[in-house]
Amino acid sequence: MMDRERRTLYIIFAIVVALIAPIIVLFTPFTIGMIFYDHADKIVFLPLPSSLAVYSSAFIAVAASLVAMYFIKKKGFKIALSIFTIIAFLFLFVSGTKNYIYIDNEFIESSHWLKGKKQYAWDEIVQLDLTKKTNGREREDHIIFTFSDQYTLPILVDGLVDYKIERQIVNRVQQLNVSVNHIVVEE
């Protein structure tokens, strides 16, 4: 009976992980931004929405392995699964921290956990597009940077990028005599 009660702890821990995970997933990108990217030269730090999926997958891996441990009876398999889960969790969680766009007074940095990191100086911008797309009552605004190597970096203006930050970006680009295109699309 004691062994069954101990095995039940795996299910309880899986439920606890499933309940706590959404809170950690939602607050981690902003915590990372405040700890590592909050400098005097910062214009804006934007965690990419895909980072939430990566963080979530880390917690799903933990919860799934805890449920699997409930059914595994051999101690060697449990230890191997525990080690694999810890490595997978750390890999996924750290990978999630690498999904962001950071705009500084000196440079613009785009990082994606699969594509790597790209960093550009402001003078490498050849064009800036400000798109305002309306569809009935809905509106979707983007800032699109085009760099000298033809790399385009779109930023969804939603919540974190307000008018003040948008003006800072536009003013900085206009100081460099880069063309700023205002594009309005109505559907």
Side-chain angles (χ1 to χ4, degrees), residues 40-147:
D41 291 338
K42 174 185 94 168
I43 295 175
V44 69
F45 173 78
L46 301 166
L48 297 178
S50 59
S51 65
L52 298 177
V54 178
Y55 295 135
S56 297
S57 63
F59 284 103
I60 289 170
V62 170
S65 69
L66 286 168
V67 171
M69 284 185 200
Y70 174 81
F71 296 105
I72 295 174
K73 295 200 189 308
K74 298 206 180 224
K75 192 172 189 173
F77 285 138
K78 284 184 182 182
I79 292 171
L81 182 59
S82 297
I83 292 169
F84 175 76
T85 302
I86 291 169
I87 292 169
F89 177 82
L90 291 173
F91 172 76
L92 289 169
F93 205 82
V94 168
S95 296
T97 64
K98 297 179 181 182
N99 276 338
Y100 63 86
I101 296 171
Y102 177 68
I103 301 176
D104 191 274
N105 284 326
E106 303 299 320
F107 60 88
I108 298 164
E109 186 173 278
S110 170
S111 180
H112 189 277
W113 74 291
L114 292 175
K115 299 175 188 173
K117 185 188 317 186
K118 293 185 180 196
Q119 189 175 36
Y120 294 96
W122 282 91
D123 59 1
E124 293 181 75
I125 299 172
V126 294
Q127 182 176 324
L128 182 72
D129 295 331
L130 302 173
T131 64
K132 313 279 187 206
K133 183 177 172 184
T134 57
N135 187 1
R137 298 179 95 174
E138 296 178 21
R139 183 171 164 179
E140 186 175 286
D141 299 349
H142 284 88
I143 298 173
I144 303 170
F145 294 95
T146 304
F147 297 98

Side-chain angles (χ1 to χ4, degrees), residues 133-174:
K133 183 177 172 184
T134 57
N135 187 1
R137 298 179 95 174
E138 296 178 21
R139 183 171 164 179
E140 186 175 286
D141 299 349
H142 284 88
I143 298 173
I144 303 170
F145 294 95
T146 304
F147 297 98
S148 56
D149 64 353
Q150 300 306 311
Y151 178 72
T152 59
L153 177 62
I155 298 174
L156 178 63
V157 179
D158 185 29
L160 295 176
V161 178
D162 58 8
Y163 182 74
K164 178 183 167 193
I165 292 170
E166 185 178 331
R167 289 288 5 131
Q168 271 186 286
I169 293 169
V170 170
N171 290 341
R172 178 78 179 177
V173 169
Q174 286 176 337

Side-chain angles (χ1 to χ4, degrees), residues 6-71:
R6 192 176 324 150
R7 285 180 40 213
T8 306
L9 286 176
Y10 292 119
I11 299 297
I12 292 170
F13 285 139
I15 292 169
V16 168
V17 167
L19 292 173
I20 293 174
I23 297 166
I24 296 171
V25 166
L26 289 175
F27 288 110
T28 298
F30 302 107
T31 305
I32 297 286
M34 287 189 309
I35 293 172
F36 297 109
Y37 297 99
D38 199 14
H39 307 289
D41 291 338
K42 174 185 94 168
I43 295 175
V44 69
F45 173 78
L46 301 166
L48 297 178
S50 59
S51 65
L52 298 177
V54 178
Y55 295 135
S56 297
S57 63
F59 284 103
I60 289 170
V62 170
S65 69
L66 286 168
V67 171
M69 284 185 200
Y70 174 81
F71 296 105

